[in-house]
Structure formats: C-alpha cells, structure tokens
Amino acid sequence: MTRLTDGRYVDDAPYDPQASIQHLERRDLDAPNWLLIWRKFRQHKLGLFSGIFLLICYLMLPFAGFIAPYTPNERQSEHLYAPPQGVKFFHEGEFQGPFVYPILAEADLETFQWKFVPDESRPLPLEFFCTGGTYRLAGLIETDRHLFCAPEGATLFLWGSDRLGRDVFSRILYGAQLSLTVGLIGISVSFLLGISFGSIAGYFGGRIDWMINRVIEILRSLPELPLWLALSAAVPSNWGPVSVFFIISVILGILDWPGLARAVRAKFLSLREEEYVRAAEMMGASSGRVIRKHLLPNFMSHLIASATLSIPAMILGETALSFLGLGLRAPAVSWGVMLNDAQNLASIEIYPWTAIPMLPIIVIVLAFNFLGDGLRDSLDPYES
C-alpha cells in the first residue's frame, strides 16, 4: 500500500480484470465461527449497545449495596413520600462540588399534606467512600462502606422516598439483585427440562415422543396466569424470602419449558436423518453422544437467541406475581415488591415517583429483546 499526499492509500498490486469484487478472501472462509458471529453482531448497533448495557447491569449486582447510599429497609420517619432531590454543583454562581440542600417538612393547611421545602441557604457537600448502613458485599463480606452518602443533617433521595421513608433509588438497586437473577435461574430450569424432553422426543420418537407431546399439550392448554397464581399461592407463608425466591424461579422455569421442548423436538426430527448423524451411529456412538456432540451444536444458535428472549418473560412473570402479592414478599426487595406499594392510583397521582420502579423493568426488557434480535440475526453468519 502506498500513501498519497492527500492521505489516501493506493494498492500497489497489479490490476486483475478477471477478479471479482464480491469474491470472499481466504481469511474469511477460514475464520472460526465465533469470529464471523462477532463481525456480524457488531453491525447490529442496537443489539451491541444492549448487550454492553446488560453486561454492566449484571456486573453491578454484587456491588449494589456499595453504590446505594442507604440500605433497602432503612427508614427516615420524618421524610415520608419525600420528593426526588437534585444534586447541585453551583451555589450562588460559585462551584461547590456535588452537594444537596437539606429539605424541611412543612404542613400545608389547605391540602393537609406535608410539603418538603429545600433550605437553599445551606449547601451541604456529599460524602464519598463513607460509612453507613451495614450490608453484605456480593452476599458474603459484611461491610458498612458506601460510595456516597448524605451529609450530616440532610437526606439524599435521588428518586424520592416511599410511604415508609425508604430511599427509592437504593431499593431499586437492591431489587435488581432479585429481579435480574430470577430470569437466569428460571431460564436454567426451563432449558434443562426443555432440552432434555425435547431431544428425547425428537431423537427416539415412537411411544416416548407421543407421551412427551401429550404432556406438552396439556401444559400449554392451561391458562398461564391462573396457574402461576395457584402455584404461588401454594407456597407456605412462613417460608423465608430466599426460599420463596428460589421456588418462584423454579415455578417460572417449569411453566416455560414446553415451548422450548417443542422447538427442540421439531429440529431433532429433521436433523436425525442427516448423514453425519447416521455415520456417528454406525461408528458406535451412543445416543447421548450423538445428541450432545452432533445434534445440539447445530441447534445452539436458536437456543441462545431463545434464552435472551425468554429471560425478560421470567422477569415480567416475577414482577406480576410480586405485584399481586403472591410472589416475593417483604422484607425481600424486588421491583415487583416495590410496585406492589404503588397499586393505589390516587397515591401515584400525588406521589408519581413511587412508580419509578416501572422504568428499570421497561429498560431491561427492551434491552433483552434488542439483544435477542441481534443474536438471532448474527448466529447464522453464513446466511448471506
């Protein structure tokens, strides 16, 4: 390559009039499959940004207590339904760094409600790497260190407080630990059952296929929401939050596997007649090895895309059950539990920040859908 004076590059190779500009290079033909998938996935900008965003969200889950200024059930009894506070940087035209104004509660004799008025004469700087409420970092290490805290004599409600004076921002961060994890556990149970039963039915066929198909049809004929409610109501009320969380995750996974099993069965019915499958069977490969080594890898692209599209359904399922009071219960904190406190429309009209937990649910579900679309388009790099 030769660089011209105007910055352009010119290829020094001799011109070949017989060469095709659409001819693939050897390095593209010899590239591994994962590299072709990554090249195509990078072109799907929305899916790429969604994947990065979700990766950051899941990496932040172990450190939610460190980022949150308060613990999830820490109450400020004098600041019930306090409005969101803004973090300021300039006071009377001078740069002060990040600070907040203390808010004072005053009674409104006309509406008989408390009004919170900021005292703009006292800028109080935020404290960083400070001590606060005790929590467990990554669920293991007990500590009281926080990234930032409210200054002495003031509060820090970035997204307001709820009816008990608890910080909504901190509770959303803690709630993400359960609401985002329930999808991973549920999809693990769903994939274990769906792939197992679907592969057995599709590969062996016959009476086994008939029996599994009847079970799938019975489960798919049941109304989903009433079945969720019935199974969730059967959970003993004296169980702890952790036990309820895992049983809800298992319930969501058990009810989600029939659709995946039917898709796996249909794919295996077509793949089991391929020549490479017959060759493996003639060479003495066991049925389990044929399924693991030859059939599932050819179906993996669909499974990955299906997983990214099923996780948001699990998150919405947990949110719906907790919202109705049949899923996770206090003192556990999840986005559905937080929305359970916002069932009163009159309360939302007066204190709209109590409905803020809806926003992370919408954003996360959209991100998973965009990621699933990007993966579905890129997991077959030879399509075009």
Side-chain angles (χ1 to χ4, degrees), residues 351-364:
Y351 313 111
W353 55 87
T354 57
I356 287 181
M358 288 190 301
L359 298 180
I361 297 174
I362 295 173
V363 172
I364 290 296

Side-chain angles (χ1 to χ4, degrees), residues 122-135:
R122 297 171 53 206
L124 300 178
L126 299 183
E127 300 178 2
F128 292 91
F129 299 100
C130 46
T131 57
T134 304
Y135 64 94

Side-chain angles (χ1 to χ4, degrees), residues 147 167 170 245 263 300 324 353 369:
L147 177 61
D167 181 35
S170 300
F245 166 70
M300 194 57 64
L324 296 173
W353 55 87
N369 287 329

Side-chain angles (χ1 to χ4, degrees), residues 164-380:
L164 298 178
R166 300 170 297 188
D167 181 35
V168 173
F169 174 75
S170 300
R171 286 174 61 80
I172 284 179
L173 290 178
Y174 280 98
Q177 293 180 319
L178 293 184
S179 294
L180 294 183
T181 309
V182 69
L184 299 181
I185 299 177
I187 205 65
S188 300
V189 175
S190 172
F191 267 51
L192 178 63
L193 296 176
I195 293 176
S196 300
F197 287 111
S199 58
I200 291 174
Y203 183 75
F204 292 101
R207 180 167 297 182
I208 296 178
D209 181 26
W210 184 90
M211 293 176 60
I212 293 177
N213 266 309
R214 300 294 81 76
V215 174
I216 292 175
E217 290 169 358
I218 292 174
L219 289 177
R220 289 178 66 89
S221 65
L222 299 175
E224 193 173 54
L225 184 58
L227 187 59
W228 279 359
L229 299 179
L231 293 177
S232 299
V235 178
S237 59
N238 59 346
W239 281 17
V242 176
S243 302
V244 174
F245 166 70
F246 278 104
I247 196 65
I248 291 298
S249 304
V250 172
I251 288 174
L252 294 175
I254 289 177
L255 298 182
D256 189 64
W257 71 267
L260 177 64
R262 175 164 289 184
V264 173
R265 171 188 174 273
K267 189 68 175 179
F268 274 35
L269 286 175
S270 61
L271 290 178
R272 69 179 184 179
E273 304 298 332
E274 296 289 338
E275 294 182 357
Y276 64 89
V277 176
R278 295 301 184 191
E281 293 173 344
M282 293 178 64
M283 294 176 66
S286 63
S287 301
R289 180 177 176 83
V290 172
I291 293 174
R292 292 193 314 270
K293 298 295 184 179
H294 301 285
L295 295 178
L296 279 180
N298 286 278
F299 194 50
M300 194 57 64
S301 61
H302 177 85
L303 294 178
I304 294 175
S306 177
T308 57
L309 295 175
S310 298
I311 290 177
M314 301 284 182
I315 296 175
L316 291 175
E318 181 275 326
T319 302
L321 291 176
S322 300
F323 175 76
L324 296 173
L326 296 172
L328 297 173
R329 308 180 184 94
V333 183
S334 74
W335 294 338
V337 173
M338 296 181 67
L339 287 176
N340 181 262
D341 296 335
Q343 290 190 18
N344 190 345
L345 296 180
S347 176
I348 295 178
E349 183 179 359
I350 302 173
Y351 313 111
W353 55 87
T354 57
I356 287 181
M358 288 190 301
L359 298 180
I361 297 174
I362 295 173
V363 172
I364 290 296
V365 170
L366 285 176
F368 268 113
N369 287 329
F370 293 146
L371 176 62
D373 290 339
L375 290 176
R376 184 171 51 194
D377 294 340
S378 59
L379 282 171
D380 189 6

